[in-house]
Amino acid sequence: MRILVLGSGAKDHAIAWWFSQSRLIDGLFVAPGNVGTESIATNLSINPSSPQEVYQACLENIIDYVFIGTEAPLFTGVIDYLNERGIDTFGAPSRALKLEGDRNFSRTFTDRHNIPTPTHHVFEAEEPLAAYLKRHTGERFVVKSNTIAPSRVMIDSSDYDALMNFAKSLFPTGSIMLKEHLGGLPVTITLLLDNNGYLMLPPSSDYMKAGEGGLPTGGMGSICPVPLQEEVLKSLVETIIEPTLYGLKVERMAYKGVLTISVIITKKGPILVDYHVRFNDPAAQAFVPLVRTDIIDILNAMKNDTLSDLKLEVSTKSSVALVVASAGYPEKPVVGKELEPIPAALMLNAFQGAPFYFFGGVNAMNGKLLTTGGRCVTVVGIGKNIMDANKNAYKGVKFISFPGSWYRADIGDSFFEN
């Protein structure tokens, strides 16, 4: 099978690496790819969000299957365009995109199917939002765009000025959603779907802020798997997962692909925060190295609607994913900084026992590695438990250095500290 993965970020590198481990492929391509994917696949210089360019690339490279785990190509109609022309794909079709692309729709969806969510309100303009916040002075809220927002950008605060200023930056692109703040453990649940059921990948817990109490980011780290108690997992399935899949089916939005569910495990039980119709970053980088089942076997089961019968083989080890970012991220990342040379074996993820290195905002130019974005490299440590994985991630991050580089120093700490 000849595979094309669309994307250029760290999670796309992780997915391409996952494919590269398969015994069932005879061609691997990534568009446009990055400096990390070029050693395991053929990078194609096309626009992954252009249905026409992707289709032409499929014809020229005799592609059997196109895998989309990132958001941009989904929202430009690549899936539908390819399917209409007979090319198999992994990703949500247009009829399902509003589950992520319109947060107000997703909230009415959860209301219809009695799925627990935070109290929420949608505002179209500044004045009614300001009036509402003044009536609830001192209360803590989350503000985020009501439409698709790259990197899950939001603010969580009780400060009126901070909430209003952030909302003002979003209003030019559309309405905003105001949600109550929830305290608890954040968990990312990644489900692979077919017409008869689902397969749950190892759950993770993501660190979304630049630091404890810092600015929101696209994700600065993740641990996997999250140690969930049996009763919590049962409640998660019964109150969120099963009602969601039922709702997708009866509302004719069911599809074959991935559905990522962000939840908070509160004292009252699991509460749904958001749906994503693609993989989340850095959760994907954390769980991919732990999955032992051949990805092609998973996709074949999906095609045959037998996912729920597939026994997923997962390592008994744990992972800690640590994101190295540029100076100024998340507000104004400084780019064009040169990375110090990285040992070739580490670049290839070929050194047994070493951390994994998944590249995002990094590009090669004239034999040098230069930063091109805010989140540059995800270092993933593997260990017998979270503490061990944490140690290996922080040992491995020493090989990633460039002027202004930074990372959180506490990823995974809360899971093993007393």
Side-chain angles (χ1 to χ4, degrees):
M1 183 180 288
R2 294 169 68 82
I3 305 293
L4 171 59
V5 176
L6 299 186
S8 61
K11 68 180 174 182
D12 307 303
H13 182 189
I15 290 166
W17 178 87
W18 194 5
F19 272 109
S20 76
Q21 305 304 297
S22 173
R23 69 193 191 284
L24 300 172
I25 66 171
D26 54 14
L28 180 58
F29 301 80
V30 186
N34 60 35
V35 68
T37 61
E38 67 183 9
S39 62
I40 56 174
T42 300
N43 286 350
L44 302 178
S45 298
I46 64 169
N47 178 2
S49 296
S50 167
Q52 295 79 10
E53 287 189 39
V54 174
Y55 178 63
Q56 188 60 37
C58 290
L59 296 180
E60 293 175 358
N61 295 282
I62 320 176
I63 301 298
D64 300 302
Y65 196 95
V66 177
F67 190 101
I68 305 175
T70 194
E71 57 265 37
L74 296 176
F75 286 85
T76 56
V78 171
I79 288 287
D80 300 82
Y81 191 89
L82 296 179
N83 288 346
E84 290 166 2
R85 288 157 180 78
I87 295 178
D88 288 338
T89 59
F90 175 99
S94 58
R95 67 179 183 275
L97 298 182
K98 55 187 176 182
L99 196 65
E100 175 175 355
D102 184 342
R103 288 196 169 95
N104 192 43
F105 169 84
S106 73
R107 288 301 173 258
T108 59
F109 173 89
T110 56
D111 290 345
R112 287 193 295 274
H113 300 287
N114 197 31
I115 298 168
T117 60
T119 302
H120 53 275
H121 304 279
V122 175
F123 293 91
E124 305 283 345
E126 295 178 23
E127 290 77 12
L129 172 62
Y132 184 90
L133 291 177
K134 288 177 180 178
R135 290 198 305 271
H136 297 270
T137 300
E139 294 184 33
R140 189 169 173 180
F141 294 101
V142 174
V143 170
K144 57 176 64 177
S145 171
N146 186 44
T147 57
I148 180 67
S151 299
R152 294 170 282 176
V153 175
M154 55 85 177
I155 189 172
D156 183 343
S157 177
S158 58
D159 182 84
Y160 171 84
D161 290 332
L163 292 167
M164 281 303 302
N165 288 336
F166 187 76
K168 288 177 183 178
S169 72
L170 298 178
F171 277 125
T173 61
S175 58
I176 66 100
M177 178 170 283
L178 182 76
K179 301 193 300 184
E180 68 169 319
H181 165 81
L182 292 177
L185 174 67
V187 176
T188 298
I189 301 295
T190 306
L191 305 176
L192 300 180
L193 313 177
D194 64 18
N195 289 323
N196 290 330
Y198 67 92
L199 184 69
M200 184 188 298
L201 297 177
S204 66
S205 182
D206 299 344
Y207 290 68
M208 298 307 301
K209 293 186 177 182
E212 190 65 35
L215 293 172
T217 73
M220 295 305 299
S222 183
I223 70 100
C224 184
V226 179
L228 294 178
Q229 295 178 335
E230 192 69 30
E231 58 267 30
V232 172
L233 186 58
K234 181 180 178 182
S235 177
L236 184 64
V237 171
E238 293 178 350
T239 65
I240 296 179
I241 294 176
E242 290 182 349
T244 293
L245 299 185
Y246 173 80
L248 291 177
K249 188 172 183 178
V250 298
E251 298 194 22
R252 298 182 179 180
M253 293 191 296
Y255 62 94
K256 295 184 180 185
V258 64
L259 175 64
T260 303
I261 302 177
S262 297
V263 302
I264 300 289
I265 308 299
T266 72
K267 293 180 179 179
K268 297 181 180 180
I271 306 292
L272 183 141
V273 177
D274 274 318
Y275 292 116
H276 302 282
V277 292
R278 34 79 182 189
F279 288 110
N280 277 5
D281 176 342
Q285 296 94 295
F287 69 68
V288 160
L290 300 180
V291 178
R292 295 288 178 260
T293 304
D294 193 307
I295 189 172
I296 300 300
D297 287 335
I298 294 174
L299 296 179
N300 284 335
M302 181 183 293
K303 183 175 183 178
N304 296 324
D305 293 320
T306 58
L307 272 177
S308 56
D309 297 328
L310 181 67
K311 182 173 176 56
L312 187 70
E313 294 183 27
V314 180
S315 169
T316 58
K317 295 184 177 182
S318 297
S319 68
V320 168
L322 175 62
V323 175
V324 183
S326 297
Y329 179 78
E331 295 178 302
K332 293 182 179 180
V334 177
V335 300
K337 299 301 181 181
E338 182 180 353
L339 277 72
E340 293 184 7
I342 303 170
L346 298 184
M347 284 285 294
L348 295 171
N349 291 321
F351 184 42
Q352 190 171 8
F356 290 84
Y357 296 84
F358 296 125
F359 289 84
V362 177
N363 203 356
M365 186 175 297
N366 299 323
K368 299 178 180 180
L369 297 181
L370 302 177
T371 62
T372 59
R375 291 183 299 156
C376 301
V377 185
T378 304
V379 182
V380 184
I382 308 296
K384 60 184 178 181
N385 51 38
I386 295 172
M387 180 186 294
D388 194 36
N390 168 280
K391 291 178 181 177
N392 289 332
Y394 281 96
K395 286 180 182 177
V397 79
K398 296 175 182 178
F399 291 98
I400 305 299
S401 179
F402 54 89
S405 63
W406 67 275
Y407 50 85
R408 283 187 59 159
D410 62 340
I411 305 301
D413 287 1
S414 61
F415 290 88
F416 57 80
E417 288 185 343
N418 293 325

